[in-house]
């Protein structure tokens, strides 16, 4: 259509008028099937290369860095999108109706749309790589100091212009930061088990409990602390396997001893349907007490190996 339109204009006397390229679309990026095949091949070759060598102990670090390549690239495109959005906002605020101003606005909107399309493509590549990481190491991939937003399934600002573009952009960012659904808080500490059999039993109890909660709350959003060395890691892996959105509340270490209690407040402020509690410390105990005070149902699994304690567990069973 673009070429045909340009050809029609060529026969007209339109001095100084030019037609720029159309905004990019999904067809301008690698198709998903090709991305999956390529990343699977690279992943397989990479770990075949280090298998049986001294670098095998570093395999998980290499896998994490592989996924992070796409995450960092998507983050940079998101930053470019934010800058272009700011330019659109400034141009809308100073609109004078002139042809020059209108052209500048259209250019900035198109620039933002292109950045957004690239961000979505890179996020999809990251998610494919993250699924390879999950299958290889059995845990959900998580960036060190940023969020893992995924805008792919949303109605994005590429469909609108001007003031509507700004409103859609703000809504897309809000929905990415807090997915729509019913919050369910998951909490637990770091546990040691005397045998692999006990560790497996504990992990199975975590997954079985979350499956039961999901049966009651099909649109659940899993809220947890994001601890990659504790029971949060099991919950995060479960959520990724089940395609459940998750939001992590990391500790604000600037608060010192109050960090855990402040995190409790932030998670409970979401008004969760359930609080799922596995063995932990005194901070977790306070979370359970406060949840019950707010009449939030507690799924108590603080018994041995993640079972329900003998006395008074409140559960969706």
């Amino acid at each position: 259509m673009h070429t045909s339109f340009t050809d029609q204009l060529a026969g007209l006397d339109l001095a100084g008028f030019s037609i720029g390229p159309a905004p990019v679309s999904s067809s301008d990026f690698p198709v998903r099937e090709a991305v999956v095949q390529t990343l699977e091949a690279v992943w397989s070759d990479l770990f075949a290369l280090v298998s049986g060598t001294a670098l095998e102990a570093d395999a998980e670090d290499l896998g994490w860095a592989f996924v992070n390549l796409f995450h960092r690239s998507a983050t940079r495109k998101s930053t470019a999108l934010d800058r272009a959005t700011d330019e659109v906002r400034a141009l809308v605020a100073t609109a004078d109706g002139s042809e020059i101003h209108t052209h500048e606005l259209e250019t900035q909107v198109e620039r933002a749309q292109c950045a957004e399309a690239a961000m979505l493509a890179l996020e999809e590549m990251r998610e494919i790589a993250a699924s390879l990481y999950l299958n290889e190491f059995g845990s959900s991939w998580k960036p060190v100091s940023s969020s893992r937003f995924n805008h792919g399934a949303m109605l994005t600002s590429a469909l609108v212009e001007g003031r509507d573009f700004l409103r859609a952009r703000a809504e897309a960012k809000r929905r990415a930061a807090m997915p729509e659904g019913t919050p369910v808080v998951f909490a637990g500490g770091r546990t040691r088990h005397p045998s692999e059999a006990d560790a497996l039993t504990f992990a199975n109890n975590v997954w079985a409990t979350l499956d039961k909660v999901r049966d009651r709350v099909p649109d659940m959003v899993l809220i947890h602390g994001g601890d990659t060395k504790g029971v949060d890691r099991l919950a995060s892996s479960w959520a990724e396997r089940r395609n459940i959105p998750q939001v992590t509340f990391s500790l604000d270490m600037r608060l010192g001893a109050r960090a855990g209690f402040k995190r409790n407040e932030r998670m409970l402020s979401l008004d969760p349907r359930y609080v799922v509690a596995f063995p932990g410390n005194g901070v977790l105990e306070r979370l359970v007490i406060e949840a019950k005070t707010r009449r939030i149902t507690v799924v108590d699994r603080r018994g041995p190996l993640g079972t329900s304690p003998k006395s008074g567990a409140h559960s969706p069973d």
Side-chain angles (χ1 to χ4, degrees):
M1 179 181 294
H2 171 70
T3 302
S4 176
F5 185 43
T6 304
D7 291 342
Q8 293 178 39
L9 290 176
L12 301 177
D13 184 12
L14 297 175
F17 191 84
S18 62
I19 300 296
V24 296
S25 66
S26 59
S27 62
D28 295 303
F29 297 95
V31 297
R32 179 179 175 83
E33 291 76 12
V35 173
V36 170
Q37 291 177 7
T38 300
L39 294 189
E40 284 180 346
V42 172
W43 185 274
S44 177
D45 289 347
L46 174 63
F47 288 99
L49 177 67
V50 301
S51 178
T53 73
L55 291 178
E56 188 169 8
D58 300 305
E60 187 166 357
D61 287 343
L62 291 173
W64 185 93
F66 181 82
V67 184
N68 197 50
L69 286 173
F70 301 104
H71 177 70
R72 290 288 299 275
S73 295
T75 299
R76 285 193 290 270
K77 288 299 181 182
S78 179
T79 300
L81 172 57
D82 287 338
R83 287 198 297 265
T85 302
D86 289 340
E87 290 292 335
V88 172
R89 182 176 292 108
L91 288 168
V92 168
T94 59
D96 57 12
S98 68
E99 183 175 342
I100 293 177
H101 189 280
T102 300
H103 176 71
E104 290 179 353
L105 177 58
E106 291 174 348
T107 299
Q108 287 300 332
V109 168
E110 183 173 309
R111 183 175 299 170
Q113 292 171 339
C114 292
E116 183 174 56
M119 178 190 71
L120 294 175
L122 289 165
E123 284 184 346
E124 181 179 44
M125 297 174 78
R126 180 201 60 202
E127 292 304 303
I128 293 170
S131 69
L132 295 172
Y133 180 92
L134 177 65
N135 291 333
E136 184 78 29
F137 303 108
S139 60
S140 178
W141 185 88
K142 182 179 182 296
V144 171
S145 59
S146 61
S147 299
R148 179 179 160 186
F149 292 157
N150 187 10
H151 303 77
M154 301 174 184
L155 179 68
T156 67
S157 52
L159 302 176
V160 296
E161 296 183 0
R163 296 180 191 275
D164 291 338
F165 174 86
L166 296 177
R167 285 194 292 269
R169 173 62 183 154
E171 175 66 10
K173 292 187 71 173
R174 185 197 68 78
R175 290 176 60 191
M178 184 59 217
E180 293 183 356
T182 302
V184 171
V185 170
F186 179 93
R190 299 182 181 183
T191 58
R192 293 181 178 274
H193 302 284
S195 67
E196 289 187 6
D198 284 350
L200 179 60
T201 299
F202 180 79
N204 287 337
N205 285 337
V206 170
W207 280 47
T209 299
L210 289 171
D211 279 336
K212 291 178 180 179
V213 172
R214 187 190 59 168
D215 289 342
R216 289 293 185 92
V217 191
D219 66 336
M220 71 179 288
V221 176
L222 188 68
I223 312 296
H224 61 87
D227 184 1
T228 59
K229 296 182 180 179
V231 69
D232 287 346
R233 178 170 179 167
L234 291 172
S236 182
S237 298
W238 171 87
E240 187 152 345
R241 290 286 191 188
R242 301 292 192 263
N243 293 319
I244 301 297
Q246 50 186 315
V247 177
T248 61
F249 284 82
S250 301
L251 290 172
D252 185 350
M253 303 311 297
R254 296 171 299 178
L255 300 176
R258 296 185 296 112
F261 300 103
K262 185 62 177 178
R263 178 169 64 184
N264 287 351
E265 293 177 13
R266 294 169 63 199
M267 291 194 298
L268 291 178
S269 70
L270 300 176
D271 192 23
R273 173 78 176 274
Y274 293 112
V275 168
V276 182
F278 278 79
N281 56 18
V283 175
L284 184 140
E285 180 68 21
R286 289 302 308 173
L287 174 67
V288 170
I289 293 173
E290 182 61 26
K292 292 180 177 179
T293 300
R294 301 186 185 199
R295 299 185 180 279
I296 299 170
T297 302
V298 175
V299 181
D300 199 335
R301 294 294 183 267
R302 290 177 292 165
L305 298 181
T307 57
S308 176
K310 294 181 179 179
S311 59
H314 296 280
S315 166
D317 297 341

